[in-house]
Amino acid sequence: MAPRDRSRRGVHVPVCVLVWGLVVGPWVPPGLLAAAAARAGAPDVDEVVAKVQAMCAKTQDLSARFRQTVTNRSLGAVRQGGGSFMLKRPGKVRWEYEKPEPRLFVTDGKTLWDYSPVDKQARAQALDEVFSSRLPLAFLAGDCQLRRDFAIAAVDHAATRGSASFMILDLTPKRPEAGIARMLLEVNLQGYTVEKTTLFDAAGNTTVIALTDLKLNSGLSDQQFQFTPPAGVTVVPPPSR
């Protein structure tokens, strides 16, 4: 019996959200964060956006652990996963699930590989053919101009009002973007780093990504973004256009 072709399942999840890891920096202990921010006073939205963009612009490589929660609004279904994440500019990404089952998405900046060890299948596709939006490729290349692409406001509710430790930014694309209707970024107000990202699609489904154990500009090797299908793996051709 031929192996099941599940190479397309779930591809849109990492492809849509991996780029937002570009604006994430080193994790800061909450106690230090609150104390330092309280001394400095809470900044306004424009200042936060400018400093998040600056952090993004100076990030050349990044590695982290990730936790992902995907919620289907209409079905009320929740799916969780986690694993490791690496990024190196320009365009290199390694997004590797350890649970709920092994799955690897890796690109050297030209070709995106989707590999399922469970199904013993791998599929290669040109990176510029994967994205239906220009935003992911722009961020991978180092373009961090959030104000150009999004209308940005602060979320104001009981937990955030007057807070000196964090701010939640609400980003809405200025032009229609496939798969991205709205995005929330939870920003530390000490290092101006994004600890958590929540992505909403047009149907109201959400993908939440939280990164931990971050290492910034550590000099990742290009070899970590190369992939050769193991022996016995079926290479599935990309869908015909």
Side-chain angles (χ1 to χ4, degrees):
M1 179 182 297
R4 293 170 293 162
D5 181 5
R6 297 192 301 170
S7 59
R8 297 189 58 143
R9 192 192 71 184
V11 172
H12 66 286
V13 174
V15 165
C16 283
V17 302
L18 58 84
V19 293
W20 312 124
L22 290 171
V23 294
V24 180
W27 179 79
V28 179
L32 290 177
L33 172 65
R39 290 193 298 269
D44 62 20
V45 172
D46 288 339
E47 182 180 351
V48 171
V49 172
K51 291 186 176 182
V52 167
Q53 289 181 158
M55 173 64 75
C56 173
K58 69 181 182 182
T59 300
Q60 295 305 310
D61 67 58
L62 172 73
S63 62
R65 304 285 302 168
F66 74 88
R67 298 188 307 275
Q68 175 179 301
T69 303
V70 180
T71 302
N72 185 302
R73 182 180 181 184
S74 61
L75 299 178
V78 178
R79 187 171 62 190
Q80 296 184 326
S84 61
F85 169 64
M86 295 181 184
L87 177 145
K88 183 176 181 179
R89 283 174 166 159
K92 299 177 178 65
V93 176
R94 184 180 183 94
W95 185 276
E96 188 166 8
Y97 287 93
E98 296 167 3
K99 58 182 181 180
E101 64 180 43
R103 189 77 177 270
L104 173 65
F105 298 88
V106 60
T107 177
D108 59 3
K110 297 179 180 179
T111 302
L112 175 68
W113 282 96
D114 168 16
Y115 170 51
S116 170
V118 174
D119 295 328
K120 295 184 178 181
Q121 288 186 355
R123 184 178 68 164
Q125 194 167 353
L127 187 62
D128 58 3
E129 295 179 357
V130 173
F131 297 105
S132 52
S133 164
R134 70 165 188 84
L135 288 179
L137 287 176
F139 273 82
L140 286 173
D143 186 346
C144 303
Q145 298 303 310
L146 297 177
R147 279 290 189 195
R148 183 196 59 209
D149 296 315
F150 296 94
I152 306 175
V155 174
D156 183 26
H157 56 62
T160 62
R161 192 172 297 124
S163 173
S165 60
F166 74 101
M167 179 182 289
I168 298 176
L169 298 179
D170 190 340
L171 282 66
T172 303
K174 292 182 177 180
R175 294 173 295 276
E177 294 289 346
I180 306 173
R182 180 187 178 203
M183 184 167 60
L184 301 179
L185 303 180
E186 186 171 316
V187 183
N188 270 341
L189 295 183
Q190 181 185 28
Y192 293 94
T193 59
V194 179
E195 292 188 337
K196 182 164 63 176
T197 302
T198 303
L199 184 74
F200 297 80
D201 67 15
N205 304 314
T206 61
T207 299
V208 180
I209 296 289
L211 300 184
T212 58
D213 301 332
L214 288 127
K215 296 179 181 178
L216 192 66
N217 295 332
S218 61
L220 296 178
S221 167
D222 288 346
Q223 292 182 342
Q224 294 171 291
F225 303 94
Q226 302 292 327
F227 177 78
T228 301
V233 168
T234 301
V235 177
V236 180
S240 57
R241 288 177 173 261

